[in-house]
Amino acid sequence: MVEDRTLGGRIFAAVNFTLLALIALITVLPFIHVVAGSFTTSAELAANKFVLIPKVWSFEAYEFIFSTNTIFRALGVSIGVTLIGTAFSMFITALMAYALARRDLDGRNVVNFLVVFTMLFHGGMIPTFLVVKELGLINSYWALILPSAISAFNMIILKNFFQNIPDGLEESAKIDGCNDFGILFRIVLPLSLPSIATISLFYAVTYWNTYMSAILYLDDSAKWPIQVLLRQIVVLASGMDYSSTLDAAVPPPDQTIKMAVIVVATLPILMVYPFLQKHFAKGALLGSMKG
Amino acid sequence: MQEATAQPGIVPQPKARKRKRNGELKKRLWRNKLLYIMLIPGVLYFLVFKYFPMYGLIISFQDYKPYQGILGSEWVGMEQFKRLFTEPDFLNILVNTLILFGMNIIFYFPVPIILALMLNELRGSFFKRTFQTLVYLPHFMSWVIVVSITFVMVTMDGGIINELLTFFGFEKVNFLLNPTWFRPLYIIQVIWREAGWGTIIYLAAIAAVDPGLYEAARMDGAGRLRQVWHITLPAIRSVIITLLILKIGSVLDLGFEHVYLMLNSMNREVAEIIDTYVYTAGMQQGQFSYSTAIGFFKSLVGLVMVMTVNRLSKKMGEEGVY
């Protein structure tokens, strides 16, 4: 579009810019506050509440939370579930998406419908819990992976993407004696790396953020992922229902400690986010195309 | 499968043709056997974790006892549903759910549209990209993180919001335990987490608008606001309607995790919604059949809503979701 150089146009642009800058600021301020608070002492935070850049730097909150192995264990669980879960989900999602992307497959419409229908109607929490229980998955890490192994949304995005790969490539591979697995792994997947990366990231973020499956299916607190631990430390200790989980004699943790745990639970996402933000947006758009 | 082909010179009989097609089908099925093998894990997943639970919904017509299983439990017909509609608790929960839904439509839904329109008016791709990077970020935070950040900010002992209130001479507010603050906090969290990410789809629709239209409008003396009103908005109308349908379809689906994390014994009267109630009644009190009935009711309402709104929008000449 051409720049609007009238006075009205300029005022409009200035107001618009200022408002957007304010909105961006409001969006990130809470993060900055939490990160800054986690790197200072509780005395400094108590004296100077509005820290965005701490005057006194300190790692005491991190030293405290890493002094026991509780948080290491929770991080270990989350990392493990994220890596294994993402690989597993990606594998079976890609297989299903590729098969359904092939127009010569009889019955693909039925399977497609069955998948889409689950997006509109579902059995709900209790029946799903009973299935997980019947399968003997309670207190198993697989309970964090299997019940949400395929996201119908992600599968459809990937299927649409595979459909856009020209058929000619597959045909020629077939003539060269490639079977369907060969075509998928040697031709289709290498051609789809950007969308594979996008969907993997969607899965990875979901697994890292797993909370509900953990409280539904894991009774054993030693198996908790980081999100559940974070909730224990921050939410339950903030003047709500203390008695149920925390010993009344133990005072609630300091603000700085809570902030440090929030940072630790957010860090992996914050680290990958700047590099992958563009892909995320693209993935969301792929998903919005009708299929 | 050659035997199915008709003899030369004779028109194939319908039966023979059918047999021929069957033969072709068999051939295709055999040729695609590897594709069917690829489908197995996925189909198994959907059957076990999506369709078994749907079958499990029949326990809402039973008095399900875990040790008796689905087959051994007593059938009680519509008893659980009758209880649902006579229990005063349920009415309150339904109202809470609907209020949060209404707030979502009124306060959240327009925000990404407005943001996208504003963003589209921004000159300079550097600022645009920076801005997008910043406002997409919260979408990737779990609800635990969003709620945790809220907690450390609004807590009575040392939270920055309450410190600011004292600084400006106001009294401290117990945001977390005070029922009047639950709904505002809820919707602020939703907007903070989702509004930026929600712009993506609108921005894509806006990008597809023909620049010539703006050119022509400017020739006719239309200012920026009028261009937005007469060109950009109509161009993204069908996207808005599609997203609105999807939103309405999830009318009772407000996010278990989010509300559950904000819920406590003090704000339960306003914060208990259908999803959290299913958890409380089912997982904590062991009323499996009753809470399944509630969940069933919720899923059905969602399905009916999507279908109704979809039909309505088609009648009004819009595309609809399916």
Side-chain angles (χ1 to χ4, degrees):
Chain A
M1 264 180 279
V2 192
E3 184 95 31
D4 184 352
R5 293 205 174 276
T6 60
L7 180 66
R10 285 184 187 197
I11 294 176
F12 178 90
V15 170
N16 189 38
F17 179 84
T18 318
L19 279 178
L20 284 174
L22 261 176
I23 291 168
L25 200 65
I26 292 171
T27 310
V28 291
L29 270 184
F31 284 119
I32 299 175
H33 174 65
V34 167
V35 173
S38 74
F39 280 108
T40 190
T41 62
S42 17
E44 165 71 7
L45 190 65
N48 176 15
K49 306 284 184 185
F50 327 115
V51 279
L52 290 178
I53 300 161
K55 279 190 211 111
V56 185
W57 289 84
S58 158
F59 291 98
E60 69 172 28
Y62 292 94
E63 276 161 20
F64 179 83
I65 61 172
F66 287 117
S67 63
T68 65
N69 60 11
T70 318
I71 199 157
F72 284 113
R73 206 168 44 200
L75 280 174
V77 172
S78 284
I79 292 170
V81 167
T82 303
L83 292 180
I84 296 170
T86 305
F88 179 73
S89 290
M90 216 45 232
F91 182 66
I92 61 175
T93 304
L95 288 181
M96 190 178 199
Y98 177 66
L100 289 179
R102 285 275 295 265
R103 287 187 179 88
D104 56 338
L105 187 79
D106 291 280
R108 69 195 277 263
N109 289 333
V110 180
V111 180
N112 258 334
F113 174 79
L114 287 178
V115 171
V116 172
F117 186 69
T118 63
M119 296 169 92
L120 299 174
F121 186 79
H122 48 82
M125 182 187 284
I126 304 297
T128 310
F129 170 80
L130 293 176
V131 168
V132 173
K133 196 170 150 229
E134 285 302 308
L135 292 171
L137 292 176
I138 298 296
N139 270 331
S140 152
Y141 293 127
W142 284 104
L144 303 186
I145 296 175
L146 292 179
S148 50
I150 299 183
S151 136
F153 178 79
N154 288 350
M155 203 280 290
I156 292 169
I157 296 179
L158 205 57
K159 187 197 76 173
N160 288 347
F161 191 86
F162 289 162
Q163 271 169 350
N164 290 334
I165 293 176
D167 290 338
L169 286 172
E170 298 171 26
E171 291 302 322
S172 55
K174 216 177 251 174
I175 292 165
D176 292 344
C178 236
N179 68 23
D180 287 320
F181 277 96
I183 297 175
L184 172 61
F185 287 105
R186 280 194 232 133
I187 315 248
V188 173
L189 287 187
L191 280 174
S192 323
L193 281 183
S195 58
I196 298 284
T198 310
I199 308 276
S200 302
L201 287 165
F202 280 141
Y203 275 129
V205 169
T206 312
Y207 281 120
W208 182 262
N209 287 340
T210 293
Y211 172 73
M212 190 174 92
S213 310
I215 61 164
L216 282 174
Y217 309 134
L218 303 181
D219 302 325
D220 183 357
S221 66
K223 292 184 172 164
W224 279 346
I226 186 75
Q227 304 292 337
V228 183
L229 186 70
L230 173 61
R231 194 235 173 190
Q232 275 330 88
I233 291 174
V234 180
V235 180
L236 292 183
S238 297
M240 296 165 66
D241 298 339
Y242 277 64
S243 48
S244 59
T245 39
L246 288 177
D247 197 329
V250 182
D254 275 335
Q255 282 278 81
T256 52
I257 290 166
K258 293 180 199 166
M259 288 170 169
V261 184
I262 294 176
V263 172
V264 170
T266 319
L267 201 62
I269 293 175
L270 284 183
M271 283 189 323
V272 293
Y273 175 75
F275 307 102
L276 304 167
Q277 181 261 121
K278 245 193 307 193
H279 293 290
F280 278 133
K282 241 180 253 160
L285 280 182
L286 281 173
S288 62
M289 291 188 317
K290 295 193 79 169
Chain B
M1 313 280 156
Q2 284 303 312
E3 69 275 7
T5 43
Q7 286 164 15
I10 300 174
V11 183
Q13 295 300 302
K15 209 176 166 189
R17 227 186 299 162
K18 201 172 172 192
R19 226 184 305 144
K20 183 182 167 194
R21 232 179 294 149
N22 270 339
E24 275 176 5
L25 178 66
K26 260 187 221 156
K27 224 192 287 176
R28 273 207 312 273
L29 289 181
W30 181 246
R31 201 183 56 216
N32 285 337
K33 59 186 180 298
L34 289 182
L35 292 180
Y36 290 104
I37 292 174
M38 289 182 189
L39 269 185
I40 291 173
V43 168
L44 226 86
Y45 164 76
F46 280 98
L47 285 183
V48 172
F49 291 104
K50 299 291 168 184
Y51 284 90
F52 276 15
M54 285 185 208
Y55 164 74
L57 283 172
I58 61 169
I59 70 169
S60 57
F61 302 103
Q62 294 179 330
D63 183 16
Y64 177 80
K65 299 275 188 310
Y67 54 88
Q68 290 171 328
I70 292 185
L71 298 174
S73 291
E74 188 194 344
W75 291 92
V76 296
M78 299 299 284
E79 216 46 53
Q80 307 289 0
F81 292 93
K82 261 182 225 154
R83 179 177 159 202
L84 190 70
F85 291 110
T86 47
E87 194 125 334
D89 261 5
F90 181 71
L91 185 69
N92 180 31
I93 288 156
L94 189 63
V95 169
N96 286 343
T97 310
L98 289 175
I99 289 177
L100 286 193
F101 168 70
M103 291 178 73
N104 256 298
I105 296 288
I106 297 169
F107 298 112
Y108 166 73
F109 189 77
V111 179
I113 303 173
I114 296 168
L115 262 185
L117 292 175
M118 288 172 72
L119 207 51
N120 183 53
E121 297 298 320
L122 202 58
R123 297 291 154 261
S125 63
F126 172 75
F127 290 113
K128 213 170 186 170
R129 245 182 302 130
T130 314
F131 180 83
Q132 282 173 299
T133 307
L134 293 179
V135 296
Y136 291 169
L137 179 60
H139 173 76
F140 297 98
M141 307 288 126
S142 68
W143 278 118
V144 183
I145 292 170
V146 175
V147 171
S148 296
I149 293 176
T150 313
F151 272 50
V152 297
M153 288 182 68
V154 305
T155 171
M156 291 277 275
D157 39 45
I160 190 167
I161 302 292
N162 269 315
E163 294 303 322
L164 282 173
L165 285 178
T166 0
F167 183 80
F168 289 111
F170 295 99
E171 286 205 8
K172 285 190 176 185
V173 179
N174 199 339
F175 292 99
L176 298 173
L177 297 183
N178 187 340
T180 38
W181 279 100
F182 167 75
R183 282 170 190 150
L185 273 184
Y186 167 89
I187 201 70
I188 291 171
Q189 287 168 329
V190 169
I191 293 172
W192 184 72
R193 184 173 188 250
E194 301 297 345
W197 186 248
T199 59
I200 289 181
I201 196 160
Y202 296 113
L203 285 173
I206 291 173
V209 179
D210 175 11
L213 289 175
Y214 293 104
E215 200 67 46
R218 216 170 4 250
M219 296 291 194
D220 294 342
R224 294 282 275 272
L225 281 175
R226 298 199 61 172
Q227 290 173 32
V228 169
W229 185 254
H230 290 291
I231 300 173
T232 320
L233 261 185
I236 62 173
R237 195 181 66 169
S238 64
V239 176
I240 296 178
I241 290 176
T242 307
L243 290 188
L244 195 59
I245 296 174
L246 291 174
K247 190 96 200 160
I248 289 173
S250 61
V251 47
L252 303 179
D253 238 332
L254 296 160
F256 164 77
E257 288 190 5
H258 181 191
V259 177
Y260 176 70
L261 290 164
M262 294 295 291
L263 186 70
N264 57 57
S265 47
M266 304 299 285
N267 66 13
R268 195 167 287 276
E269 58 187 286
V270 295
E272 186 91 275
I273 60 167
I274 292 182
D275 286 314
T276 58
Y277 189 64
V278 168
Y279 180 77
T280 319
M283 300 302 294
Q284 292 179 340
Q285 298 165 0
Q287 309 179 60
F288 289 108
S289 284
Y290 179 51
S291 56
T292 303
I294 302 171
F296 196 177
F297 169 77
K298 193 196 94 163
S299 293
L300 270 184
V301 172
L303 187 63
V304 171
M305 289 292 270
V306 177
M307 291 188 338
T308 317
V309 181
N310 199 46
R311 185 163 306 164
L312 269 181
S313 84
K314 273 184 180 163
K315 245 184 210 152
M316 295 189 316
E318 292 292 337
E319 251 191 278
V321 187
Y322 55 87

